[in-house]
Amino acid sequence: SLEQLSEHPLAGSIVRAAKEQELQLHHPESFVSEAGRGVRGRVDGHDVLVGNRHLVARTEGFTDGAAEPGVTTVDVAIDGAPAGRIEIRDPVRPTSGPAIAALRASGVEVIMLSGDQRAAAEAVGALVGVSRVIAEVLPDQKLAEIRRLQDAGRVVAMVGKPLWM
């Protein structure tokens, strides 16, 4: 129910899956998005958290469960107690590997900068031929990471939607 109000790309997948399973969705009484962490709010009188381990870390009983490589986990807590874990597989476009191979062949160092969990990001990087993966970077930290690369003398080009614009 909270993910209906989220702008994060994974939220749409979660909502679609809920609708496909014919789950009843409710309108949240309150909603707060924490960039790069998840969402929190109140649904039907219950405090709900939906997000990564950084958001739910203070929820007693949650373990930092290891998902299989390439799978992003989203934890759910209701009223301060673990309520579930959602596993999301984000398929890689078939053109990504060849495009990265072409860049590398032309001498370009390709670095993957991702907000995804380290294991998931590294699995995707390995799948498409990216050897350097910088993972678990919050949206407001991505620009700083790009500037750090530039300050080190690198020419940087970014593919994807910059979250700071």
Side-chain angles (χ1 to χ4, degrees):
S1 294
L2 283 178
E3 293 290 17
Q4 294 176 98
L5 301 179
S6 177
E7 294 180 359
H8 194 282
L10 294 180
S13 297
I14 292 171
V15 172
R16 272 191 305 283
K19 288 180 178 179
E20 286 171 8
Q21 294 180 35
E22 299 180 4
L23 299 177
Q24 185 177 9
L25 301 178
H26 302 267
H27 185 73
E29 300 152 30
S30 66
F31 174 86
V32 176
S33 177
E34 295 189 22
R37 298 192 190 295
V39 295
R40 64 175 66 238
R42 197 154 177 81
V43 179
D44 287 343
H46 298 280
D47 293 321
V48 180
L49 298 174
V50 181
N52 64 23
R53 62 187 168 90
H54 300 290
L55 181 69
V56 299
R58 293 177 301 272
T59 302
E60 190 171 326
F62 257 121
T63 59
D64 192 14
E68 64 185 83
V71 175
T72 297
T73 59
V74 178
D75 291 321
V76 180
I78 299 175
D79 294 329
R85 178 167 282 146
I86 301 167
E87 293 186 347
I88 301 171
R89 287 168 181 76
D90 190 12
V92 174
R93 290 188 179 101
T95 55
S96 297
I100 290 168
L103 287 168
R104 291 181 67 188
S106 68
V108 173
E109 178 189 13
V110 179
I111 299 171
M112 186 170 132
L113 180 62
S114 174
D116 290 344
Q117 296 161 352
R118 182 163 314 286
E122 288 176 348
V124 170
L127 183 66
V128 297
V130 175
S131 58
R132 183 167 176 208
V133 175
I134 303 170
E136 298 185 10
V137 182
L138 295 175
D140 62 343
Q141 297 170 334
K142 288 183 180 180
L143 179 57
E145 190 63 36
I146 289 170
R147 287 203 173 124
R148 188 184 66 70
L149 292 167
Q150 291 171 326
D151 290 346
R154 300 260 176 68
V155 175
V156 178
M158 181 176 171
V159 176
K161 179 181 176 188
L163 296 175
W164 58 85
M165 296 185 138

